[in-house]
Amino acid sequence: MFCFQCEQTAGGKGCTKVGVCGKDASVAQKQDELTCALIELARAADGKSPGPEADKLMMEGLFATVTNVNFDPNRIQELIELVKTEKEKLGGAEDFPQDKLWDDDVNARSLRSTLLFGMRGMAAYAWHAHILGKEDKDIINWFYKGMKAIGEDHSTDEALNLLMEFGNVNLQCMALLDEANTSAFGHPVPTTVPMKVEKGPFIIITGHDLLDLKQLLEQTEGKGINIYTHGEMLPAHGYPELKKYPHLKGNFGTAWQNQQREFDGVPAPILFTTNCLMPPKASYADRVFTTGVVGYPQTQHISEGKNGIKDFSPVINKALELGGYPEDKIFTGINGGTEVMTGFARNAVLGVADKVIEAVKAGDIKHIFLVGGCDGARPGRNYYTEFVKKTPKDSVVLTLACGKYRFNDLDLGKIGGLPRIMDMGQCNDAYSAIVVATELAKAFNCSVNDLPLTLVLSWYEQKAVCILLTLLALNIKNIYLGPTLPAFLSQDVLNVLVEKFNITQISTPDEDLKKILG
């Protein structure tokens, strides 16, 4: 096998025997086979959508290859067969050899991989919008254009142009997902979320799929079962149509990489709705349920039923069987806090934009930091905790995605009535941060790069890749990126991006703050 698509890849070069994520060579081979089948489908379709069934498979197939999503080779094989059937309906296409994916000129491989990984990330966003009934034909068509392009040879300039074009399309996709979520569940509002688990039966739900949470809340209503979010599901507490359920009680645990420790011994089932599944330990594997694109061998999978409704009875029955804790139990975040806040999405922040603008003009807010992205297990990620702790008291920290668990339970005080740490949501909600930055730039009649704003990002998997490409397509510069630079970027490609966009690898909080603040 060969895989270097995530930040934790072995030796910073690539996993060749077994994935650090836990996938074995058979799963890696099936994922490559599925990727090649999708390239062939795009070729057979001549780079544009041939119809709804193929479109669904294109999104689902790309999503299934994102890190920590699907570890089940049998389910991946099912997708491969469905994709091949769709390809044959179009008259077939020349096979794309698997070794072509990774064995090529180092720069060509780097550029091809960057586009592929970005498209995998965008497929996750498109899929979430799709299940909420929102689609954009331009976005769908770009999947075919992009996958067809991955199967072709391009000059460096052509490949870089494709990456920038993709970044703009991904912005459309993030806007589409924002519309899907807010039209279905309302605009998030600032909400304090406790980390206490009340006695009695409960279910932990993790991932990003808000529709799954909505259906679970509906099916557990009045049954004496409380629901607790985990990981990237935390921002669900800010949505009016979800927070109205009184049994959506709080948040359990921290970021995804801690789940094997945090889930061990918990008397409750865990429902995984999207990526960030780690191989379950034997001590709690019988309490793990997957749904949607997620898969793991020998765990129970909840499939979609008629009209898109899922039957979560097995999860509910397991919660009743296990019974939960006999007494209330208080948990804490990484820094000892017992509650966190969320819900500062674009509508909430722009609703107080006049206060922010006034505070900046008055000198009360001298700098805004966006410290966000994926969390992970690699040593050195405590950088983000220390960075936030050391930000000046006259600065604001916006955050999103699971990287916030490094510091979101800190109390840094307030400025002008606003908390200094404001959680804008999931990685899916990066669109909110872009809109806020754009609106602030308009208010100050300058470009985003001229704002007193610095992006300090942590990356782990492919959704972070597509967000980064969108930021670059918007010509946003001076981004601080860590904890390591992507292994799939060749030195030549990296040099181009550094020269053009001044991407800087993080060093130490003190050194970086000194450089940022002058």
Side-chain angles (χ1 to χ4, degrees):
M1 64 175 285
F2 179 78
C3 183
F4 62 173
Q5 70 175 5
C6 82
E7 184 269 336
Q8 67 183 2
T9 194
K13 295 180 180 178
C15 296
T16 56
K17 294 182 180 179
V18 64
V20 176
C21 67
K23 70 181 177 184
D24 61 24
S26 68
V27 173
Q29 290 289 341
K30 287 297 176 187
Q31 289 179 342
D32 285 355
E33 188 178 341
L34 175 56
T35 299
C36 292
L38 293 170
I39 292 171
E40 292 162 12
L41 175 60
R43 284 175 161 181
D46 197 25
K48 59 189 176 193
S49 165
E53 191 58 37
D55 298 345
K56 181 181 176 183
L57 286 169
M58 179 63 75
M59 289 184 285
E60 187 176 3
L62 284 167
F63 192 0
T65 60
V66 170
T67 304
N68 293 89
V69 173
N70 198 327
F71 294 83
D72 190 338
N74 293 327
R75 286 189 54 210
I76 298 173
Q77 181 61 40
E78 290 173 7
L79 280 171
I80 292 168
E81 291 170 3
L82 290 169
V83 171
K84 287 185 174 180
T85 298
E86 286 300 310
K87 181 187 76 170
E88 293 306 317
K89 288 179 184 177
L90 300 171
E94 181 184 351
D95 288 345
F96 184 83
Q98 280 184 236
D99 57 5
K100 177 71 171 172
L101 279 175
W102 317 123
D103 294 336
D104 202 352
D105 170 80
V106 65
N107 291 327
R109 182 180 73 173
S110 177
L111 291 163
R112 177 190 301 119
S113 301
T114 303
L115 180 57
L116 173 60
F117 301 157
M119 290 182 65
R120 287 175 174 176
M122 185 170 79
Y125 298 147
W127 180 260
H128 289 305
H130 163 76
I131 63 173
L132 289 172
K134 299 291 184 180
E135 288 187 356
D136 183 320
K137 206 64 178 177
D138 289 341
I139 296 167
I140 295 294
N141 280 326
W142 218 95
F143 281 118
Y144 292 91
K145 177 179 179 176
M147 291 304 286
K148 183 172 182 283
I150 287 169
E152 300 169 339
D153 294 324
H154 299 278
S155 69
T156 299
D157 285 344
E158 288 171 341
L160 288 170
N161 287 337
L162 274 170
L163 290 176
M164 294 302 101
E165 184 180 340
F166 165 78
N168 284 312
V169 173
N170 186 59
L171 179 62
Q172 280 182 250
C173 190
M174 290 195 294
L176 181 72
L177 178 56
D178 180 90
E179 179 190 352
N181 284 337
T182 54
S183 62
F185 309 113
H187 283 277
V189 296
T191 303
T192 300
V193 184
M195 299 183 77
K196 179 179 77 172
V197 176
E198 297 180 11
K199 66 179 182 179
F202 68 99
I203 295 169
I204 299 168
I205 181 169
T206 188
H208 306 74
D209 200 304
L210 301 178
L211 182 59
D212 283 337
L213 174 57
K214 177 75 157 47
Q215 293 186 12
L216 181 65
L217 288 167
E218 290 171 343
Q219 292 176 36
T220 50
E221 200 166 16
K223 294 186 177 179
I225 299 174
N226 291 328
I227 308 298
Y228 294 87
T229 56
H230 170 268
E232 287 271 60
M233 195 62 81
L234 165 63
H237 290 274
Y239 286 92
E241 289 301 309
L242 299 174
K243 67 191 277 94
K244 71 182 183 182
Y245 291 91
H247 59 301
L248 178 60
K249 289 289 186 175
N251 191 68
F252 178 93
T254 53
W256 68 273
Q257 78 277 1
N258 300 319
Q259 65 189 253
Q260 290 179 329
R261 171 173 51 83
E262 293 177 344
F263 292 163
D264 196 23
V266 174
I270 306 103
L271 176 62
F272 285 84
T273 67
T274 54
N275 57 314
C276 301
L277 167 68
M278 293 184 74
K281 293 171 67 175
S283 59
Y284 67 84
D286 65 328
R287 292 179 271 125
V288 168
F289 294 80
T290 62
T291 191
V293 184
V294 191
Y296 197 87
Q298 299 173 337
T299 57
Q300 189 162 346
H301 187 76
I302 308 296
S303 299
E304 186 174 286
K306 292 181 180 179
N307 302 319
I309 304 298
K310 297 177 181 179
D311 181 4
F312 289 117
S313 295
V315 189
I316 293 168
N317 293 336
K318 179 62 76 171
L320 293 171
E321 173 194 329
L322 292 169
Y325 294 113
E327 301 293 338
D328 292 356
K329 193 162 183 175
I330 296 177
F331 293 89
T332 65
I334 288 176
N335 303 287
T338 57
E339 62 183 25
V340 292
M341 284 197 75
T342 191
F344 291 94
R346 62 179 175 88
N347 209 50
V349 176
L350 292 178
V352 293
D354 55 337
K355 293 182 180 179
V356 175
I357 293 166
E358 183 180 333
V360 172
K361 288 181 176 178
D364 296 329
I365 296 177
K366 288 192 168 64
H367 208 87
I368 301 171
F369 296 94
L370 173 62
V371 186
C374 314
D375 205 356
R378 187 186 293 272
R381 285 182 178 265
N382 60 333
Y383 165 95
Y384 297 94
T385 310
E386 296 307 311
F387 185 96
V388 170
K389 283 181 178 179
K390 292 180 176 182
T391 54
K393 292 183 179 180
D394 56 5
S395 66
V396 168
V397 177
L398 302 177
T399 188
L400 49 78
C402 61
K404 62 175 166 273
Y405 281 104
R406 294 279 171 172
F407 50 81
N408 67 339
D409 63 323
L410 291 170
D411 182 2
L412 298 186
K414 297 182 177 181
I415 297 179
L418 299 172
R420 282 193 54 222
I421 297 178
M422 291 186 274
D423 174 19
M424 305 189 80
Q426 301 177 342
C427 64
N428 301 16
D429 299 312
Y431 178 71
S432 271
I434 291 171
V435 170
V436 168
T438 302
E439 290 301 313
L440 286 176
K442 288 179 183 176
F444 286 102
N445 195 27
C446 66
S447 72
V448 171
N449 293 321
D450 294 324
L451 287 171
L453 168 70
T454 303
L455 279 62
V456 184
L457 306 180
S458 55
W459 83 280
Y460 175 75
E461 44 92 321
Q462 296 77 66
K463 285 183 281 182
V465 176
C466 71
I467 292 169
L468 179 61
L469 291 173
T470 291
L471 294 173
L472 300 184
L474 292 170
N475 198 36
I476 294 176
K477 299 181 179 181
N478 306 313
I479 296 170
Y480 284 73
L481 184 64
T484 62
L485 294 176
F488 54 82
L489 288 181
S490 69
Q491 192 59 53
D492 288 344
V493 173
L494 179 60
N495 289 344
V496 170
L497 297 179
V498 169
E499 181 180 349
K500 187 171 183 179
F501 299 104
N502 196 28
I503 296 174
T504 302
Q505 185 175 357
I506 61 171
S507 56
T508 69
D510 288 324
E511 289 176 9
D512 291 343
L513 280 166
K514 183 178 179 181
K515 186 176 178 181
I516 291 166
L517 299 173

